[in-house]
Amino acid sequence: MAFNHLLLRYIKENLYSFTFVVLIFICGIIFGSIMVNRLPSQHSEGLKQEINFYFEVLDEATGINKNSILQESLLTNGKFILVAFLSGLTVIGIPVIILMLFFRGVILGFTVGFIFNHSTLKGLLFSLAAIVPHNLLIIPALLLSSVASISFSWVILLKIVKNKNFNIKSFFLNYCFLILLSGIFMVIAGMIEAYIIPILLKLVVPIMI
């Protein structure tokens, strides 16, 4: 309960920052979904064929290298967390984290948009099985680490420019805790992606073929 209270208080205290990063992420998703309709027809057909081939291979596969999936997930999301942490230590890192968050939104928007556009009902079913479960943790982790990074950079900026009397040590410890919490979310999401989603896909993909 105390943890939930502290997290809610942090969100309230940084409501503008959370609103800002959420809007950035949503803009990325919208941009990515728009890109789907702007793809040249030959590229679109090529991607559709690759998706169909992927479904067939997954349906016939007897085993999936779950450890490789976990490693790839941790590597991809770990890079974001690491860059977010390092960006928060420098004022110039704020644009970096904004661009990274926007790009992650673009990827998610394009992926879901293309699959849904390729096969409306089946695409929705596939998205629910393959994309939604782990992203329920990844997206909050992306937003939390982004807000923490931007907020800590802002504290440093105020201390340098306006010579504000901040307890940097206290802010830094809170910052490290939030980044660590985001990392834990990412690890759990990676485990879901590696060990649970393949099971869901084995149930869903035969319906889609």
Side-chain angles (χ1 to χ4, degrees):
M1 289 296 294
F3 172 75
N4 292 336
H5 177 71
L6 289 174
L7 190 58
L8 287 174
R9 190 178 72 178
Y10 180 79
I11 292 174
K12 289 180 180 179
E13 291 174 351
N14 297 273
L15 188 59
Y16 289 114
S17 297
F18 270 102
T19 303
F20 175 71
V21 298
V22 167
L23 288 175
I24 291 294
F25 190 68
I26 290 175
C27 287
I29 292 175
I30 293 173
F31 185 79
S33 61
I34 290 175
M35 286 176 58
V36 174
N37 297 322
R38 298 301 177 90
L39 273 180
S41 57
Q42 62 271 24
H43 292 168
S44 181
E45 288 301 322
L47 286 174
K48 287 180 181 179
Q49 291 177 7
E50 289 185 15
I51 288 178
N52 289 332
F53 177 74
Y54 169 76
F55 288 158
E56 292 173 1
V57 170
L58 185 60
D59 184 49
E60 296 172 359
T62 56
I64 296 175
N65 193 335
K66 298 177 180 179
N67 291 332
S68 295
I69 296 175
L70 178 61
Q71 290 175 6
E72 184 64 28
S73 176
L74 294 179
L75 181 62
T76 300
N77 295 316
K79 286 179 180 178
F80 185 97
I81 296 296
L82 178 61
V83 173
F85 176 70
L86 296 177
S87 297
L89 300 178
T90 60
V91 177
I92 59 174
I94 293 178
V96 175
I97 196 67
I98 290 174
L99 288 174
M100 286 179 58
L101 187 63
F102 179 79
F103 185 66
R104 288 296 294 259
V106 170
I107 293 175
L108 181 62
F110 181 84
T111 303
V112 175
F114 186 83
I115 293 174
F116 189 77
N117 206 33
H118 168 55
S119 179
T120 306
L121 183 58
K122 294 179 180 179
L124 177 61
L125 185 62
F126 179 80
S127 297
L128 289 174
I131 299 175
V132 171
H134 59 296
N135 274 293
L136 290 176
L137 286 175
I138 288 178
I139 292 175
L142 293 176
L143 299 178
L144 182 61
S145 59
S146 298
V147 169
S149 177
I150 292 173
S151 298
F152 189 70
S153 293
W154 186 248
V155 168
I156 294 176
L157 179 63
L158 290 178
K159 187 170 181 64
I160 293 174
V161 175
K162 295 188 177 183
N163 196 27
K164 292 284 186 178
N165 188 23
F166 289 127
N167 185 353
I168 290 294
K169 182 179 179 180
S170 176
F171 277 101
F172 180 71
L173 291 176
N174 289 335
Y175 177 50
C176 290
F177 172 75
L178 293 171
I179 291 295
L180 178 62
L181 181 61
S182 300
I184 292 173
F185 283 171
M186 291 296 194
V187 171
I188 298 174
M191 296 176 68
I192 292 174
E193 186 177 3
Y195 300 108
I196 295 179
I197 287 181
I199 297 174
L200 297 177
L201 287 178
K202 293 292 286 185
L203 298 174
V204 170
V205 169
I207 302 175
M208 301 181 62
I209 299 177

